[in-house]
Amino acid sequence: KNQVEQSPQSLIILEGKNCTLQCNYTVSPFSNLRWYKQDTGRGPVSLTIMTFSENTKSNGRYTATLDADTKQSSLHITASQLSDSASYICVVSPRSGGSNYKLTFGKGTLLTVNP
Amino acid sequence: DTAVSQTPKYLVTQMGNDKSIKCEQNLGHDTMYWYKQDSKKFLKIMFSYNNKELIINETVPNRFSPKSPDKAHLNLHINSLELGDSAVYFCASSRAGGTQNIQYFGAGTRLSVL
């Protein structure tokens, strides 16, 4: 069983609407959690990074939250745009030696924004 | 300018062939990675190099051999290609040290083994 589970698997929304993507993880001990955006045919691009002591981190219209007690994170997208259509991947880094190197990736949520 | 560039973008080949994928980064990073993204879309690390030294070698068949001629390059050579090797391979780079260093990914190489 993967240690990073994301929901929903896919989501379709209308342009201008808000949405929230969920991530549950079991990676422990935990160092930091990252959200990446992966456009079709492209490599992932980092949106936010949060350590276990941070509760929220924003990047423009993207706001990530983290509850280290329940091991849950969410990514909220406000005023969605057509260019937000992509896969959003939750990535967890364990707290161990060289932990930056061995990240655990979720499967991603495929978001489609329609006009 | 592309920060992490991979070539080729697409690679179609027959089973049993040997092929290489090249990766170069111009970000001044000293850690580079190879990831495999299979049909289920999970990204899994294969190898990581720091200052040309291998630091991560996951359970990958020894048909896969990474080579780092310098800090800016990490190439992946695959011998005796098999059908199960079909996937998208991503190269990435980051600064060494610290747990929050962002990994920058290339655009991927889509490998199809026929």
Side-chain angles (χ1 to χ4, degrees), chain A residues 25-67:
Chain A
Y25 63 92
T26 58
V27 176
S28 183
F30 156 81
S31 175
N32 62 76
L33 185 145
R34 313 165 185 221
W35 282 92
Y36 278 84
K37 178 186 179 187
Q38 185 175 16
D39 292 311
T40 300
R42 307 294 296 272
V45 175
S46 178
L47 293 176
T48 63
I49 298 179
M50 291 181 290
T51 66
F52 59 88
S53 61
E54 294 179 290
N55 299 122
T56 186
K57 184 71 71 76
S58 290
N59 179 0
R61 295 179 296 103
Y62 301 103
T63 299
T65 63
L66 174 63
D67 186 334

Side-chain angles (χ1 to χ4, degrees), chain B:
Chain B
D1 288 345
T2 304
V4 181
S5 58
Q6 299 178 225
T7 55
K9 190 169 175 63
Y10 300 96
L11 187 52
V12 181
T13 187
Q14 299 287 332
M15 267 197 326
N17 284 350
D18 303 338
K19 291 293 179 184
S20 292
I21 307 173
K22 295 185 176 181
C23 178
E24 175 182 6
Q25 54 94 4
N26 62 6
L27 296 167
H29 292 161
D30 45 16
T31 304
M32 296 185 71
Y33 314 78
W34 276 109
Y35 286 88
K36 179 181 180 181
Q37 188 172 40
D38 59 24
S39 57
K40 295 182 179 179
K41 301 302 183 184
F42 284 115
L43 270 158
K44 293 183 180 178
I45 191 164
M46 301 172 67
F47 302 102
S48 177
Y49 271 73
N50 177 250
N51 283 315
K52 301 194 299 176
E53 297 292 328
L54 180 65
I55 54 173
I56 290 180
N57 184 352
E58 289 297 287
T59 307
V60 177
N62 56 16
R63 297 181 295 104
F64 290 78
S65 53
K67 283 186 173 54
S68 182
D70 54 58
K71 288 195 303 183
H73 296 83
L74 181 62
N75 304 322
L76 183 65
H77 188 75
I78 315 170
N79 290 326
S80 304
L81 278 156
E82 301 178 356
L83 293 176
D85 296 334
S86 296
V88 183
Y89 292 84
F90 286 98
C91 176
S93 73
S94 71
R95 286 185 289 130
T99 57
Q100 295 196 58
N101 287 339
I102 298 171
Q103 293 189 12
Y104 293 81
F105 286 80
T109 295
R110 184 174 294 277
L111 172 64
S112 297
V113 183
L114 307 177

